[in-house]
Amino acid sequence: REALDRAIAAAPTQPADWQAEVWISAALHERLQGRPAAAVQHTQRAVAAAGEALPRAQAAALAEEALAWMDQGDWARGQQALDRCLAQFRRAQVLPSIWMDSALIAESRLHLHKGQAEAARDTLQPLVAAWAAINPGSPWHGQALHWLAQSEAAAGHAQLAAECLVNRLQQGAA
């Protein structure tokens, strides 16, 4: 957290893309620490820093914002942030990939919330495959594996859900 605090302190003197990445990192940190309201504040700073000139950074911030709203149980605001996020990714010409990790996780969580387990699974499978192809053995795709397991379980595929969780545990041990 010390390094993040130093980056936040230095942010006002840095270029917009750097500022946006700092605020996105701060939002991720807060969300993973169970403080989604603080995460939303940081994502809003990131969106403002990115402006219209940096659609990929703005999209990444909006993906974190969508997840933070969902963590608070505000699915409508989560959907709004996700819609804006996906529009910015399209504007930046980013195809579904690890660059869209948080957005695809948010989209799958929204599908699960709506009872659309198959759609959630279909959203996550390419992301899990991309993580495995790009960075095999990395723990970085643990969130995607977790939500894929949730999707499989909701779809009634207990064995596939268990395999996702075992894969997640193996990745964490790597």
Side-chain angles (χ1 to χ4, degrees):
R1 174 67 196 200
E2 190 177 310
L4 181 57
D5 288 340
R6 283 195 309 267
I8 289 170
T13 64
Q14 300 302 317
D17 59 338
W18 196 89
Q19 289 181 41
E21 291 299 327
V22 167
W23 293 121
I24 292 166
S25 296
L28 174 65
H29 172 79
E30 294 296 341
R31 185 173 61 81
L32 294 177
Q33 294 299 313
R35 296 184 292 262
V40 168
Q41 292 175 348
H42 292 314
T43 62
Q44 292 169 347
R45 289 181 181 115
V47 169
E52 291 300 314
L54 300 168
R56 192 201 63 76
Q58 202 172 71
L62 288 164
E64 278 301 319
E65 183 175 336
L67 288 167
W69 285 122
M70 291 174 194
D71 285 353
Q72 295 178 78
D74 192 334
W75 296 95
R77 283 186 173 165
Q79 175 75 64
Q80 291 169 353
L82 179 61
D83 290 345
R84 290 176 54 209
C85 161
L86 295 175
Q88 290 294 50
F89 272 128
R90 282 190 298 277
R91 185 169 164 246
Q93 300 179 355
V94 175
L95 299 173
S97 63
I98 63 169
W99 288 105
M100 291 181 67
D101 181 77
S102 293
L104 296 173
I105 290 169
E107 185 176 17
S108 71
R109 287 182 60 187
L110 197 57
H111 285 309
L112 281 172
H113 178 72
K114 294 177 179 179
Q116 302 166 342
E118 301 289 333
R121 185 196 64 211
D122 292 347
T123 298
L124 289 171
Q125 284 178 329
L127 176 60
V128 169
W131 271 117
I134 291 168
N135 199 351
S138 168
W140 280 104
H141 62 285
Q143 275 194 98
L145 288 168
H146 169 80
W147 289 106
L148 181 58
Q150 297 299 311
S151 301
E152 295 291 7
H157 305 135
Q159 181 61 38
L160 291 173
E163 289 172 15
C164 289
L165 292 175
V166 167
N167 192 358
R168 181 175 181 218
L169 290 172
Q170 290 172 343
Q171 298 303 322

